[in-house]
Amino acid sequence: MSSPLPLVLIAVPAVVLACQAGGWAARRLGQPPVIGEMATGILLGPSLLGWLAPGVQHLLLPPAVLPYTSVLGNLALLVFLFLIGLELDLRSLRAGRRAVAFVATGSMVLPLALGAVLALAMYPAFAPPGVRRLSFVLFIATAMSITAFPVLARILTDKGLATTRLGTFALACAAVDDALAWCLLIAVTSLATAGSPVEALLALALATTLTVALVAGRRLVKRALERAARTSDELVTVLLVSGLLLAAWATDRIGVHPAIGAFLVGATLPRGVPAVERSAARLQAVVVPVLLPLFFVDIGLRTDLAALPSGQWGWAALVLAVAVTGKWLGAAGAARLAGCDWRWSALMGTLMNCRGITEIVVLGIGLQLGVISANMFTIMVLMAIVSTAATAPLLDRLTRNAPDLTAPPPAGETVPPGGPQATR
């Protein structure tokens, strides 16, 4: 058997350059680059390239190379989820925490409920054989309730709103939303991979124990990292990557997806260590633009729009409508009940609908675990891309001629004067 290295040497630059071009095109259209990268991954699959020019697709991505690009893409995914966890510093939610919790909870509860009802109706037609109804329903409901913190942060940064009254409050809500969603995902994946409710509870208990251990060992980890930093930043990077990979292995052995372990390491890692921030920046600069596109292509190869039966496009439209409506009404309604004006409430509903790569990651986990079928996966990926792509233009429209929303907040204030009354 010949070495697959020459094939990998063609596939990786082809994918990376194509995704970079897609990201550039998305930015020209006022979208975050990740939208273009995700769309490019899908277009390189059977949805377009495999349909129009199967010979070209076979040349760039032959079947023999796919296991290797998939492994590289999934390793990049673990690093990316570690970085997401590292960004979620919930200690910053001291001002306005009640209002933040209120809006974040509202933006999850209604989508969860509506998603569960829709999943019950879709179960007979879309659940893979042998998948329990409860696992399918809980997974779809969880996927409907997700907000992508990293993509939302990128959109707000590109628009110059990340440090404004609106941006700080929205990012705080998205951080809480993301944390709650990952907690739900741990429970759902434990149930999906277990053979019985007892095994599911055991997996959940072990995952909780691992989380507690990571939190309890923060001081020791901080000392070890500070000591390693006195040697070299490279040693800190090695320790971080080794730790996230070992945690991913541990959660995989527990019966929870490896991505959960990488995320938990990032979320529980001690803050305030400069060497950790520098190492994270290196990983962000190399792994995300070079290897993460391989994950997008792996997802794209599993997404076949042409294979979706014509009778299921109505379900796709219904999924999009329920996902967007549930998220918008949940977040906007909670903001309105907290005392926000209509514009602010509408902005919360719009921003919390940004699902982005977090949604794609969660759907990929569900597909790998066999909880959702290929057609259900395709429908949910479409929902994620459309709902995320709508965020930036709606944000521009809603913030037009609103200087009170685009001004920096006073020191220590998370909520604007026109925001929730609970923090005045």
Side-chain angles (χ1 to χ4, degrees), residues 96-282:
R97 58 183 178 272
R98 291 182 181 178
V100 167
F102 195 65
V103 174
T105 303
S107 72
M108 289 201 67
V109 171
L110 187 58
L112 279 169
L114 295 179
V117 173
L118 181 60
L120 284 171
M122 300 182 75
Y123 176 78
F126 289 93
V131 172
R132 293 191 292 268
R133 185 186 301 269
L134 181 60
S135 299
F136 180 83
V137 169
L138 289 179
F139 183 85
I140 296 299
T142 301
M144 290 277 197
S145 66
I146 284 173
T147 295
F149 175 84
V151 178
L152 181 58
R154 184 61 180 267
I155 291 175
L156 290 170
T157 300
D158 289 345
K159 300 295 182 183
L161 298 172
T163 58
T164 63
R165 300 173 184 275
L166 173 66
T168 53
F169 186 74
L171 288 175
C173 293
V176 175
D177 198 311
D178 236 12
L180 292 174
W182 283 103
C183 291
L184 284 173
L185 189 63
I186 292 173
V188 172
T189 54
S190 300
L191 179 65
T193 56
S196 66
V198 174
E199 292 181 3
L201 289 175
L202 178 60
L204 184 59
L206 290 173
T208 304
T209 301
L210 175 62
T211 305
V212 172
L214 289 172
V215 173
R218 283 165 63 96
R219 290 187 178 180
L220 292 176
V221 171
K222 186 174 183 178
R223 291 175 187 172
L225 291 173
E226 289 174 340
R227 183 174 298 177
R230 290 195 288 268
T231 301
S232 67
D233 281 359
E234 288 74 13
L235 179 57
V236 174
T237 304
V238 169
L239 291 176
L240 293 179
V241 173
S242 299
L244 73 91
L245 293 179
L246 289 173
W249 174 83
T251 51
D252 180 64
R253 298 299 298 170
I254 287 171
V256 184
H257 196 275
I260 303 295
F263 173 80
L264 289 176
V265 170
T268 58
L269 202 67
R271 268 56 176 178
V273 181
V276 171
E277 297 175 0
R278 292 192 295 268
S279 295
R282 290 193 190 93

Side-chain angles (χ1 to χ4, degrees), residues 234-396:
E234 288 74 13
L235 179 57
V236 174
T237 304
V238 169
L239 291 176
L240 293 179
V241 173
S242 299
L244 73 91
L245 293 179
L246 289 173
W249 174 83
T251 51
D252 180 64
R253 298 299 298 170
I254 287 171
V256 184
H257 196 275
I260 303 295
F263 173 80
L264 289 176
V265 170
T268 58
L269 202 67
R271 268 56 176 178
V273 181
V276 171
E277 297 175 0
R278 292 192 295 268
S279 295
R282 290 193 190 93
L283 293 174
Q284 177 80 32
V286 176
V287 175
V288 173
V290 175
L291 294 181
L292 193 60
L294 297 175
F295 171 75
F296 294 141
V297 169
D298 191 42
I299 291 295
L301 292 172
R302 302 166 188 261
T303 306
D304 191 356
L305 299 177
L308 195 64
S310 58
Q312 293 185 357
W313 281 97
W315 282 109
L318 184 59
V319 166
L320 177 62
V322 170
V324 172
T325 302
K327 198 72 172 172
W328 196 93
L329 288 178
R336 187 64 181 156
L337 290 174
C340 296
D341 60 30
W342 282 110
R343 187 198 292 262
W344 186 272
S345 300
L347 280 164
M348 287 302 104
T350 299
L351 294 174
M352 292 302 103
N353 253 305
C354 180
R355 290 176 170 87
I357 189 173
T358 305
E359 179 78 25
I360 301 297
V361 168
V362 170
L363 295 176
I365 290 174
L367 188 64
Q368 288 177 6
L369 296 178
V371 181
I372 57 176
S373 63
N375 286 347
M376 188 73 226
F377 175 79
T378 298
I379 288 173
M380 295 293 285
V381 167
L382 277 174
M383 179 272 293
I385 292 178
V386 173
S387 60
T388 305
T391 302
L394 289 175
L395 176 63
D396 288 339

